[in-house]
Amino acid sequence: DLQRAVGETRAPYRHDACVNMANDDDDHDHGDDAVTQRDEQVVTLAAVLGLEEDLVACREKLEASGWDLQRAVDVALGVNTATDAAEVASPSIARDGGGLRRRHGTSAMTPARRRDSTAVAPRQRRPQRTGSFPNPFRFVSTLGFGVVAAAVKLSVGVVDALMKLALPFPTYARLSAVLTRVACRFDTPATARLSRADREAALEVRAKEFAEWFNESFYDTGSNGLHFLHMSHREALRFAQSETKLLFVYLHSPSHPESELFCAQVLASREVTEYVNERFVAWGGDVRDAEVYALAEGVRPSAYPYVALLASVSGEVSLVMSCEGFIDTTGLITSFDEALSAQHGNLDQARTRNAEAQASRRLREEQDAALAQSLAQDAARAREREAEAAQVEAQRAQAEAEARAIEEERRREEEAERARVEAIETRRAMKSQGLREEPEEGVEGVSKLAIRLPDGSRAERRFYSTDTISDVYDFVDTLEQLDSSDYTLLTNFPRRTFDRAESVSLVEAGVHPNGALFVQTERA
């Protein structure tokens, strides 16, 4: 029976492995203290709390906590560190500053387990050096940190895989924790060098890879697994705040023997999967990843697997509940129920505030939309008025142009007419002066002509028979009844037209001794 075998072997491992790992972690921390700088603590706290853009506030929190990173994280998350020792000694659920934390709780699957007091006692951290001790990682970064980090992480991965195959699991767990620290030391500065957008994109890729690995490893193909968000834990907190839900956090440590068993039998169970997907916003990660490791360094779980509920509905992050170590499905759901019951009032208030904010936002949007529509209608009416005014102006301008054209045409016609009249009068005066006197009636060789004008009037005059048609033209030019300068003289029967330049005598023209000539103008 796998469950019985795990239950029989888990309790001894819990004491021995955790004691050895705690001691090994202490030794490793003491070695790291020599090179740890306060600015690294500030960056770590900023990564845990999502305050990369407010490093001054993170430094103030650390100064207020005596440069104790764990205490600063606990204070920021609302965990009462003064009761940790009493809390560890009791396996029941305790209330820490409004949060619920279960350490190694009993389960129906395994017997009750307690840890040796020396394994869980708060570690005494050696005072940090405040001098300007050189940081070797910054020196390495100047020589191409990306290449070195990639080589180290690849080497760590190979060594970790070989140790997992060759060493007993307790020994592997102790050494794997050290390798995880080394890999994350190289991963964190490399990520910090990226811009905020590139860093968030890289964290989204890692979160997606973890979610895909989890669902492919512990769920059947085609089944609906846990809906882990594909984003950083800071963005996940913001998303949970917008959804007015608690953030479910799972930190996975492959170096702990119960992690994959917990995933397969508890987290991947239908009850927990449906519960989490329905009530929480889920986020998870592998502690070998730099960001997840930084978060784990902040919350400092005493055992893995680690499950927590974080609240950010009020705008500040607080720890609502955490389960450290293996817990069965019933115990986990019970812890969830108790956490939700404790946070019911806060969540309802947050949902009410969000609903009011959304209603207010919708009202403002509707008002803005109505205002925009009104402004658009006013603008449309203004454009219509402008178009109408422009059309009226165009019509007025066209009418004025036509009137000016007509007036110009009339003026030209008047000038032409005036010029024509002046030309006729000038010609009449000149021809009157040069016209020979009319011969007496009854004199031999005199022809009497009748001139028919276009207006129906008639003029008579006597000419010598030797006079020519040109002389008749000169007489017609003097007539006031004639207002045309272009005309032609012609006889009616037989019909014959005479030009002004023709030197034809009256006898030759057939109008002697009496005759009639008609004046034909171009208008006629």
Side-chain angles (χ1 to χ4, degrees), residues 40-98:
E40 294 180 358
Q41 290 180 287
V42 173
V43 173
T44 302
L45 181 62
V48 173
L49 301 181
L51 299 175
E52 291 91 340
E53 299 179 354
D54 195 0
L55 297 180
V56 175
C58 295
R59 182 174 293 274
E60 292 176 354
K61 293 180 184 293
L62 285 168
E63 290 176 350
S65 302
W67 290 96
D68 188 329
L69 180 61
Q70 176 62 42
R71 185 182 303 171
V73 173
D74 289 340
V75 172
L77 295 178
V79 179
N80 185 5
T81 58
T83 60
D84 275 353
E87 175 190 14
V88 170
S90 174
S92 61
I93 297 178
R95 297 183 179 271
D96 295 341

Side-chain angles (χ1 to χ4, degrees), residues 250-257 259-260 285-287 304-305:
Y250 171 62
L251 303 183
H252 182 75
S253 177
S255 61
H256 290 75
S259 294
E260 294 194 2
D286 194 319
V287 294
Y304 287 96

Side-chain angles (χ1 to χ4, degrees), residues 355-394:
E356 293 175 353
Q358 291 177 0
S360 178
R361 183 170 58 254
R362 283 195 298 269
L363 178 60
R364 288 195 303 271
E365 291 174 353
E366 292 173 357
Q367 292 174 346
D368 293 342
L371 178 60
Q373 182 179 4
S374 177
L375 293 176
Q377 292 175 352
D378 292 342
R381 286 193 291 267
R383 288 193 297 270
E384 290 177 358
R385 289 193 296 269
E386 291 177 357
E388 292 175 357
Q391 184 178 4
V392 171
E393 181 64 20

Side-chain angles (χ1 to χ4, degrees), residues 19-33:
V19 170
N20 293 333
M21 289 180 62
N23 293 335
D24 185 73
D25 288 347
D26 284 340
D27 295 339
H28 190 67
D29 285 342
H30 293 162
D32 289 344
D33 286 340

Side-chain angles (χ1 to χ4, degrees), residues 405-464:
I406 294 174
E407 180 64 20
E408 182 67 17
E409 182 67 19
R410 185 187 63 79
R411 184 184 62 79
R412 286 196 299 268
E413 291 178 354
E414 289 179 353
E415 290 179 355
E417 180 66 16
R418 185 166 54 252
R420 186 183 68 82
V421 172
E422 290 178 355
I424 293 174
E425 290 177 354
T426 300
R427 186 186 65 180
R428 183 180 296 123
M430 291 177 59
K431 294 295 180 72
S432 295
Q433 292 179 359
L435 186 65
R436 290 193 304 174
E437 293 184 0
E438 182 179 8
E440 294 292 337
E441 186 176 358
V443 176
E444 184 178 358
V446 173
S447 298
K448 187 177 181 179
L449 294 180
I451 307 299
R452 294 272 187 181
L453 299 173
D455 61 355
S457 62
R458 163 183 188 139
E460 294 182 353
R461 192 178 190 280
R462 294 181 297 275
F463 293 91
Y464 291 103

